[in-house]
Amino acid sequence: MGARLLEGKEVADRIGKDLAVRIAALKEKGVVPGLAVIIVGDDPASVSYVTMKGKACQDLGMYSLTVREPADLREEALLHLIDELNRDPKVHGILVQLPVPGHIDVGKVIAAIDPKKDVDGFHPTNVGKMLIGEDGGFLPATPYGIHVMLSAYGIDVAGKHVVVVGRSNIVGKPMAAMLMQKGIDATVTVCHSRTRDLKAMTLQADVLISGIGKALFITADMVKEGAVVADAGSNRIDDPSTPKGYRFVGDVDFDNVKEKASAITPVPKGVGPMTIVMLMSNTVLAAEGSLER
Ligand code: NAP
């Protein structure tokens, strides 16, 4: 293997230890950081993400509330529930697991969350703060985790060409917004499904970040020799050789790309654990912020 392995799991474990100290300090002041997660419907992937988030809270001694609602929940009822959680002092962070069923307006739902409790960082107020480079908001956990992980490995993106593949509101767009900020100073290109000649773009990347949702899509011929590769993708593929009959792979063809890259995240245990720990970090930050109000 040529590339250095960027082990998100190890970085996340270290961050978790720092969080434990901050949580203990909050508890001494009578505050237990609390995260409420709302899930509408029973999509298996969403259920598994929600379970992981609840477990992460419990492992850190935080208060965790999971609200499971049926897929036919009315939009008004969801907005009412969010309103209640906005006013609940035990809850410092609120997230609605996405996607929500089609009859619910996701924009309305996100806008209903108190920006001070929007630990996913999806509320327009927090997105705006991120874009203009203002402190005091919450950064979306997946791109935030990627940036923190790169920094933890001493990978400085300043002046480098970062190519982000994917422009979703939860991965690609916030990733680009974060890395282009003054002081972080990457030169960022964002690609998507309408990009002409994607390979010509990805081959220019000093740092290539993928959030597409297509298994093993980024192949070695799309990667420049010595590039750093971060893979946010998490895609289920059939694998009869495993006990469950399936496994998760990234967007990147890891086995071949690792021979060309200088550093690369694995899937699993790469970006995934960083996402969870940054969500916990945002919740602790929200709890600390509640002391100042
Ligand atoms: P999404 O909303 O479906 O967005 C996918 C993006 O990829 C879109 O911008 C799309 O372009 C682009 N895309 C799709 N096919 C493409 C192609 N052939 N060439 C170039 N661009 C292409 O997905 P998402 O929610 O951002 O998730 C992306 C991946 O990240 C998924 O595998 C998801 O499971 C994973 N994820 C992981 C974590 C984690 O914790 N590790 C967290 C969140 C998401 P258009 O905009 O043109 O459609």
Side-chain angles (χ1 to χ4, degrees), residues 142 166-168 170-171 192-193 211-214 217 232-235 272 275:
T142 300
R167 58 173 164 184
S168 73
I170 65 171
V171 185
H192 45 78
S193 69
I212 322 175
K214 289 208 159 99
F217 180 84
S234 176
N235 311 294
T275 298

Side-chain angles (χ1 to χ4, degrees), residues 7-27 33 55-62 144-145 148-149 152 272-285 288:
E7 294 178 85
K9 172 82 171 69
E10 285 193 4
V11 179
D13 287 348
R14 283 206 298 276
I15 294 172
K17 287 193 179 120
D18 292 344
L19 287 179
V21 175
R22 285 164 64 190
I23 292 165
L26 280 165
K27 284 184 175 172
K55 185 174 178 306
C57 282
Q58 280 155 13
D59 289 350
L60 283 168
M62 290 163 52
Y144 188 18
V148 168
M149 179 174 50
M274 288 303 299
T275 298
I276 300 276
V277 84
M278 297 327 291
L279 177 66
M280 298 302 121
S281 172
N282 279 348
T283 306
V284 171
L285 193 65
E288 289 166 344

Side-chain angles (χ1 to χ4, degrees), residues 18 20 35 49 62 96 100 102 140 157 189 204 212 223 267 284 288:
D18 292 344
L35 174 66
Y49 291 140
M62 290 163 52
V96 178
V100 286
V157 297
T189 299
Q204 294 177 42
I212 322 175
V223 178
V267 176
V284 171
E288 289 166 344

Side-chain angles (χ1 to χ4, degrees), residues 107-286:
K108 259 196 207 172
V109 168
I110 290 171
I113 298 172
D114 179 346
K116 292 192 176 63
K117 294 192 176 189
D118 167 44
V119 287
D120 254 346
F122 296 160
H123 189 286
T125 297
N126 287 317
V127 176
K129 283 185 177 175
M130 173 181 63
L131 196 60
I132 61 179
E134 189 179 307
D135 290 340
F138 294 107
L139 298 171
T142 300
Y144 188 18
I146 291 172
H147 185 215
V148 168
M149 179 174 50
L150 292 176
S151 303
Y153 278 96
I155 296 167
D156 184 4
V157 297
K160 306 248 179 78
H161 188 186
V162 176
V163 177
V164 179
V165 190
R167 58 173 164 184
S168 73
N169 288 339
I170 65 171
V171 185
K173 274 190 214 163
M175 187 82 255
M178 262 176 233
L179 297 184
M180 72 165 76
Q181 293 300 322
K182 213 168 178 58
I184 298 176
D185 297 328
T187 302
V188 183
T189 299
V190 179
C191 302
H192 45 78
S193 69
R194 304 293 303 272
T195 296
R196 222 180 290 158
D197 199 352
L198 180 65
K199 182 175 161 182
M201 298 292 170
T202 58
L203 276 172
Q204 294 177 42
D206 302 314
V207 178
L208 180 60
I209 301 176
S210 183
I212 322 175
K214 289 208 159 99
L216 313 177
F217 180 84
I218 305 282
T219 46
D221 60 318
M222 298 169 76
V223 178
K224 183 167 79 172
E225 196 74 46
V228 172
V229 180
D231 187 355
S234 176
N235 311 294
R236 191 173 138 160
I237 58 164
D238 292 337
D239 184 348
S241 72
T242 63
K244 287 182 174 168
Y246 62 84
R247 66 191 165 95
F248 287 90
V249 296
D251 294 341
V252 175
D253 177 9
F254 179 87
D255 289 342
N256 293 308
V257 171
K258 75 179 181 344
E259 301 303 332
K260 243 177 143 182
S262 61
I264 187 168
T265 59
V267 176
K269 296 192 177 175
V271 174
M274 288 303 299
T275 298
I276 300 276
V277 84
M278 297 327 291
L279 177 66
M280 298 302 121
S281 172
N282 279 348
T283 306
V284 171
L285 193 65

